[in-house]
Amino acid sequence: MSRTLFTFNGGVHPDGHKTESNGTPIRAMPLLSRYVVPMRQHIGAPARPVVAVGDAVLRGQTLGAAEGYVSTAVHAPTSGRVIAIEPCAAPHPSGLFDLAVVIEADGLDQSIAFEPLDWRALDPSALRNRIREMGLAGLGGAVFPSYIKLNPGAQKIHTLILNGAECEPWITCDDRLMRERAPELVRGIEIMRHALGSATILIGIEDNKPEALAAMRAAAPSDMEVVAIPTLYPGGGGKQLTYTLTGVETPTGGRSTDVGIQVFNVGTAYSLYRAVELGEPLISRIVTITGHVSNPGNFEVRVGTPLSDLVTAAGGMLPGASGEIVGGPMMGFDLMDSAAPVTKAVNCLIIKNSKLFPGKPIELPCIRCGACAKACPADLQPFEMYWYSRAKNFGRAQSYNLFDCIECGCCAYVCPSHIPLVDYFRFAKSEIWEREREKSGADQARIRHDFKTFRLEREKREKAEKFAKAAEKTKAAASNPSEASAAVDPDAEKKKAILQAALERAQKAKESVAPRNTEDLPPRVQREIDEIEARRAAVETKTESTE
Amino acid sequence: MIGSPYTLGGNTTSAIMLKVMLALLPGIGAHAWLFGPGIWVSLLLCSFFAIGFEALLLMMRGLPMKPFLSDNSALLTAWLLALSLPTLAPWWLYAIGMLFAIVVAKQLYGGLGQNLFNPAMVGYAVLIISFPVYMTQWVAPLSLADHALTLADAFDVVFAGQGSISPDAYTSATVLDTWKTQTRLQTPVESILAQPVFASSGQAIVAAMYLLGGLFLLWSRLITWHIPLAFLAGVAVSAGLLHLLDPTQHASPLLHLFSGGVMLGAFFIATDPVTAASTPRGKLIYAGLAGILVAIIRAFGGYPDGVAFAVLLMNVCVPFIDSYTQPRVFGHKIKQGSDKP
Ligand code: SF4
Ligand code: SF4
């Protein structure tokens, strides 16, 4: 390939463990009797249920509609009846429950009438609205609503990057997808190009996937460039892939779109093809199941499939299984409840045993060896961030650019003292958010309090003015001019000025404490923030209406 | 919560320490070959005291014995101190050195990773200040000694004092000592260099072996090039300048590089990660200044060698150096420090 590639600093070479699951074609799952479809399967506001318990639904029917801007719809994976709308186990590191629509399948698997779109004739904005209704979200794991990413806005997106790096060990769903469905995938990319108007299209695939590279090269037209990139974790991280392919660094706190580049996962392109050309909403995705399971491989799984059923489809766990990881071993999380369903974010389930995933060695003190800093793809100094996070000196941790950390795990992977560095960083970030929330909560309260005082003052003043006027009238009768009202006014003016200054101060304080780099937040933190924001908004409207 | 990553690269602190000790072996071997078996006794004694003190302090601090003792860090400190001290000193000298290295410089500062000062160099500095006489009694190269000590003799000397053998029979001044005393006596350079201790080149060979071990550390990526190179360059450039100014008082840079603790210091002591600067630019500043200090102390200080004091002085500056040399973070265009509150 003629393209010059750039090498980001750091990165690690964990064992790939790809062959366990990439040797067999994608299999279909048998139809199940029950699906649990969470309303929150994307970053942003959860979908709002639009069905009721007892309703009959068809495959592809909307169960939840997009709520607000950063949101997207959720659909029924099969035909049947809604038997419950309730909080259910969700594949989430916190183990918290999420609102879900539970469907009892009728076994007929009847679908709504899918309406293919003539997207070439459609203007990009109408296309995006359709995509929002189709429930598309990034399938690489970040699940950001795709319709937003397909909106170039004011910024010209000159380069569109397709992420087929799949740098996490064990995961092979994108590998199999590219091998088996490259032509369809490429058609999805065409739709993206239409929406964004990009001139350059780069498809980055790690060179440990020669079959996928070959298949994509065969399918891609000459104006799309399929690029083999070196196998180096986390080469598939959005910022790392962008840098590898273009040499452009995504500015801190910003997005690649700020520099005219948009990145999509290859799985998203494939689903986009299905949504637009076949009219089928996002109701299934490819999921890798691997590790200590009898028949590892990739399945085309309907969203809402309980993970325990996926394990069964793969022949069940082998004796000695010691747990399950959702996602890859570098960035995934422990599954708390195997009743949790596959969502749009779930790309892999790894069954652990004590040989593949031995317990963590005990944590020793940091010897400042710098191995973590050398491995960090964000060029951070993890041991400094660790030091201050551990000391709960979060301000200092932040001054070492904690929020530039992408939680890739390279630092913890190489640390000779086996310090779970990323855990410390996650902890520090969530603490910082917690404090920000408290602070802005307090700010809100102060503003409300100040406003209330202002209002009371005003009422008092108005009353006083009324009195004064009345007095004036009486006094006018006695032809004796009074200074009373003039005495009230300057005082009130002064108070108003003080109040104004206080409001401005609060506003400024809020702006200055607003943490930087919020774009880099991992989904789970982002989710928390969204929750917080939503709750705060609710509280605010309540207080306002009662006041 | 113990979250991802669920897979680790297999590095361990104890293996790192062990590799560093392995890299010391060529130097130790050369020392034993050229200066006799005394080095084994001092290594053994220092190791013994190091483990003893470490275990005692761990016990007193209520910390688990096994993981901390098996991190090999105390052993490495012991070896570095033993290699910096004269061999065949009385046993209590080693005990006091290790006491200050392990108990004071390391454990009282909070144990592994928390210490501000290089433990081995603290031990050395305490000894050279308190017992300067013992610290100048270096074992002579075998080729120059009137009496070659056996291993049994060595034990005898260390534990029973000088006994039957007079120290004059097996000790001599080092290259640096000789240079210092002779230049003060205004001895012409040619006659200083004609002295047998310069001719034997025993110290230079040991130093060359440390260099070899250091290259192994570089090759196995346990250290980066920044510290050794800056340290050696600091010594060479400043010693070279002094030599140019006044060759009758200041030895050539080559002699400085291959004598005393410079090679050991450049690759094994200044590189101690806990007490060294950690950013690439910081390492250059830290080690470069340490190298310059070595040459200055050797030239103008009261002690013949300056590695320990140079390293300790620079240890103090490390937090400062580090915080001013933070590398640019991915995606940051402007230098740090511009976003001060
Ligand atoms: S890798 Fe571990 S021991 Fe080394 S500096 Fe980083 S945190 Fe400390
Ligand atoms: S987890 Fe954060 S600090 Fe650690 S290597 Fe990745 S980006 Fe750097």
Side-chain angles (χ1 to χ4, degrees):
Chain A
M1 277 278 117
S2 56
R3 178 163 289 274
T4 15
L5 297 182
F6 298 81
T7 312
F8 59 89
N9 293 333
V12 294
H13 288 106
D15 284 343
H17 288 288
K18 302 281 193 184
T19 47
E20 280 87 337
S21 59
N22 72 1
T24 47
I26 298 168
R27 285 169 274 174
M29 287 269 299
L31 197 63
L32 303 174
S33 59
R34 193 170 155 275
Y35 291 88
V36 180
V37 188
M39 291 294 106
R40 185 206 301 276
Q41 300 198 30
H42 45 264
I43 279 192
R48 171 177 42 90
V50 292
V51 289
V53 175
D55 282 3
V57 293
L58 296 174
R59 174 157 63 94
Q61 184 177 333
T62 307
L63 296 180
E67 180 86 341
Y69 182 65
V70 187
S71 184
T72 190
V74 171
H75 304 82
T78 186
S79 61
R81 207 168 49 87
V82 175
I83 54 168
I85 301 176
E86 60 188 16
C88 294
H92 192 269
S94 65
L96 289 177
F97 279 33
D98 260 341
L99 186 68
V101 172
V102 184
I103 293 172
E104 188 183 59
D106 58 15
L108 304 173
D109 204 22
Q110 282 172 320
S111 70
I112 56 166
F114 292 149
E115 291 170 40
L117 278 184
D118 182 12
W119 54 269
R120 279 174 223 270
L122 218 56
D123 102 283
S125 136
L127 177 63
R128 279 195 294 277
N129 278 338
R130 266 306 285 265
I131 291 167
R132 181 166 183 247
E133 287 161 17
M134 289 295 194
L136 281 174
L139 297 185
V143 280
F144 196 82
S146 303
Y147 87 97
I148 301 175
K149 285 179 73 178
L150 285 170
N151 188 352
Q155 187 75 39
K156 202 173 141 37
I157 304 296
H158 52 74
T159 302
L160 169 62
I161 293 178
L162 270 293
N163 188 347
E166 203 163 54
C167 61
E168 269 258 17
W170 293 98
I171 309 179
T172 61
C173 56
D174 290 343
D175 183 7
R176 284 309 316 186
L177 183 74
M178 290 187 283
R179 288 196 208 187
E180 296 176 38
R181 301 178 191 178
E184 294 86 347
L185 204 163
V186 165
R187 292 172 78 160
I189 302 174
E190 295 281 10
I191 302 169
M192 289 174 170
R193 164 154 64 190
H194 175 72
L196 290 170
S198 313
T200 311
I201 297 188
L202 303 172
I203 305 167
I205 302 171
E206 279 193 348
D207 55 15
N208 62 353
K209 290 180 266 297
E211 300 89 347
L213 274 162
M216 289 299 290
R217 283 197 175 126
S222 57
D223 55 359
M224 292 183 190
E225 196 178 329
V226 179
V227 189
I229 59 168
T231 300
L232 173 66
Y233 179 85
K239 293 180 174 189
Q240 283 67 40
L241 183 64
T242 304
Y243 184 74
T244 305
L245 291 176
T246 64
V248 174
E249 289 184 24
T250 308
T252 175
R255 304 173 178 199
S256 62
T257 47
D258 297 343
V259 284
I261 298 170
Q262 186 61 289
V263 187
F264 281 99
N265 171 262
V266 287
T268 315
Y270 174 74
S271 294
L272 185 65
Y273 152 79
R274 299 248 300 227
V276 174
E277 291 213 353
L278 309 181
E280 181 198 287
L282 179 50
I283 50 172
S284 69
R285 62 158 300 149
I286 315 295
V287 182
T288 304
I289 170 150
T290 183
H292 199 57
V293 62
S294 49
N295 209 346
N298 285 284
F299 285 88
E300 178 138 27
V301 184
R302 296 187 199 211
V303 164
T305 301
L307 283 164
S308 51
D309 286 301
L310 177 61
V311 176
T312 312
M317 297 184 195
L318 295 171
S322 60
E324 293 159 86
I325 299 172
V326 176
M330 296 299 288
M331 291 184 76
F333 55 89
D334 270 311
L335 181 63
M336 305 275 182
D337 187 341
S338 53
V342 167
T343 62
K344 296 169 188 175
V346 174
N347 51 6
C348 182
L349 185 70
I350 305 173
I351 311 299
K352 295 200 279 189
N353 68 16
S354 54
K355 211 168 135 253
L356 296 170
F357 296 94
K360 296 240 167 129
I362 83 152
E363 183 181 339
L364 287 172
C366 167
I367 54 168
R368 293 171 56 90
C369 66
C372 50
K374 255 190 278 172
C376 177
D379 302 332
L380 298 167
Q381 303 279 306
F383 58 92
E384 303 278 13
M385 287 161 29
Y386 154 73
W387 181 268
Y388 290 113
S389 300
R390 205 172 89 124
K392 302 217 167 84
N393 186 344
F394 299 120
R396 291 284 285 167
Q398 222 171 330
S399 77
Y400 279 97
N401 301 301
L402 177 65
F403 280 96
D404 280 291
C405 168
I406 57 169
E407 298 184 19
C408 64
C410 291
C411 50
Y413 179 83
V414 297
C415 176
S417 292
H418 309 127
I419 302 169
L421 293 161
V422 193
D423 279 347
Y424 283 98
F425 303 154
R426 284 190 278 249
F427 164 73
K429 286 181 187 177
S430 65
E431 285 293 304
I432 290 168
W433 278 113
E434 179 72 23
R435 283 174 194 198
E436 294 304 336
R437 191 182 70 180
E438 276 167 16
K439 211 185 241 165
S440 52
D443 280 346
Q444 294 294 329
R446 205 170 44 237
I447 292 171
R448 269 199 304 276
H449 174 78
D450 288 348
F451 183 73
K452 204 164 163 185
T453 336
F454 172 67
R455 201 190 53 200
L456 292 178
E457 286 290 338
R458 191 187 59 204
E459 283 167 3
K460 233 203 265 171
R461 195 183 62 211
E462 280 168 3
K463 242 183 240 166
E465 272 168 7
K466 245 189 239 159
F467 267 123
K469 267 195 193 128
E472 231 170 277
K473 259 185 200 163
T474 7
K475 277 175 190 165
S479 78
N480 189 3
S482 163
E483 306 279 308
S485 65
V488 173
D489 272 338
D491 197 30
E493 282 308 318
K494 208 163 101 201
K495 282 214 172 103
K496 206 167 132 190
I498 292 167
L499 173 66
Q500 188 57 34
L503 281 169
E504 273 165 16
R505 241 189 349 259
Q507 188 57 35
K508 232 188 243 146
K510 210 169 115 194
E511 275 161 16
S512 64
V513 299
R516 296 165 294 158
N517 319 339
T518 50
E519 292 304 328
D520 304 315
L521 293 175
R524 65 190 82 125
V525 182
Q526 184 64 50
R527 276 189 186 187
E528 274 167 30
I529 300 158
D530 294 333
E531 268 169 29
I532 292 158
E533 224 109 69
R535 238 177 295 148
R536 202 172 68 204
V539 170
E540 261 168 46
T541 33
K542 231 200 262 162
T543 5
E544 260 158 38
S545 58
T546 50
E547 262 186 11
Chain B
M1 179 186 81
I2 299 286
S4 55
Y6 294 95
T7 179
L8 297 180
N11 294 342
T12 64
T13 305
S14 62
I16 290 176
M17 303 283 173
L18 214 61
K19 268 195 200 158
V20 178
M21 289 162 74
L22 195 73
L24 284 169
L25 287 180
I28 295 173
H31 200 288
W33 177 256
L34 295 164
F35 293 86
I39 187 78
W40 303 119
V41 183
S42 60
L43 280 174
L44 195 76
L45 271 179
C46 282
S47 306
F48 171 79
F49 287 122
I51 300 283
F53 286 132
E54 181 99 335
L56 189 73
L57 265 286
L58 287 175
M59 207 169 72
M60 284 166 60
R61 297 176 62 207
L63 290 169
M65 210 56 88
K66 195 164 160 264
F68 283 96
L69 273 187
S70 59
D71 69 21
N72 293 331
S73 63
L75 270 187
L76 179 57
T77 301
W79 283 30
L80 290 176
L81 184 59
L83 296 178
S84 310
L85 295 178
T87 46
L88 301 181
W91 64 270
W92 50 263
L93 199 80
Y94 301 121
I96 293 174
M98 288 323 298
L99 178 82
F100 277 91
I102 298 292
V103 177
V104 179
K106 185 181 176 190
Q107 291 292 345
L108 292 189
Y109 267 87
L112 178 65
Q114 316 289 307
N115 46 301
L116 179 62
F117 294 104
N118 186 307
M121 291 302 99
V122 169
Y124 178 90
V126 167
L127 291 180
I128 200 161
I129 292 169
S130 321
F131 308 99
V133 176
Y134 288 104
M135 296 292 281
T136 51
Q137 291 186 343
W138 289 78
V139 173
L142 290 179
S143 55
L144 302 182
D146 303 336
H147 184 110
L149 296 183
T150 63
L151 194 59
D153 289 340
F155 270 102
D156 229 31
V157 169
V158 168
F159 283 102
Q162 276 105 31
S164 55
I165 317 151
S166 154
D168 294 341
Y170 57 85
T171 64
S172 74
T174 63
V175 170
L176 289 173
D177 286 331
T178 314
W179 180 273
K180 184 139 228 162
T181 40
Q182 296 295 321
T183 48
R184 284 203 178 144
L185 298 173
Q186 307 293 335
T187 316
V189 173
E190 306 81 61
S191 42
I192 299 179
L193 292 180
Q195 297 200 4
V197 68
F198 285 91
S200 85
S201 69
Q203 276 200 322
I205 294 174
V206 174
M209 287 297 130
Y210 288 142
L211 172 64
L212 193 73
L215 293 178
F216 165 76
L217 289 184
L218 274 175
W219 174 79
S220 57
R221 292 173 186 241
L222 287 179
I223 58 173
T224 61
W225 56 268
H226 305 78
I227 289 180
L229 195 75
F231 189 89
L232 294 177
V235 172
V237 170
S238 31
L241 277 177
L242 290 170
H243 182 63
L244 278 182
L245 287 176
D246 186 358
T248 63
Q249 285 298 311
H250 305 295
S252 75
L254 207 62
L255 187 131
H256 277 290
L257 288 181
F258 285 92
S259 64
V262 166
M263 281 300 163
L264 190 67
F267 288 97
F268 294 89
I269 291 168
T271 52
D272 165 35
V274 175
T275 55
S278 57
T279 65
R281 274 187 303 143
K283 285 176 180 174
L284 293 178
I285 296 171
Y286 155 86
L289 289 179
I292 293 171
L293 279 176
V294 169
I296 291 176
I297 295 172
R298 280 183 175 186
F300 306 110
Y303 299 103
D305 204 352
V307 172
F309 292 110
V311 168
L312 292 175
L313 275 173
M314 290 315 296
N315 285 165
V316 185
C317 310
V318 160
F320 184 74
I321 296 176
D322 271 354
S323 72
Y324 276 88
T325 55
Q326 285 300 309
R328 187 183 70 89
V329 170
F330 187 90
H332 287 244
K333 285 292 172 219
I334 337 141
K335 283 237 175 70
Q336 265 308 128
S338 58
D339 54 359
K340 283 200 188 98

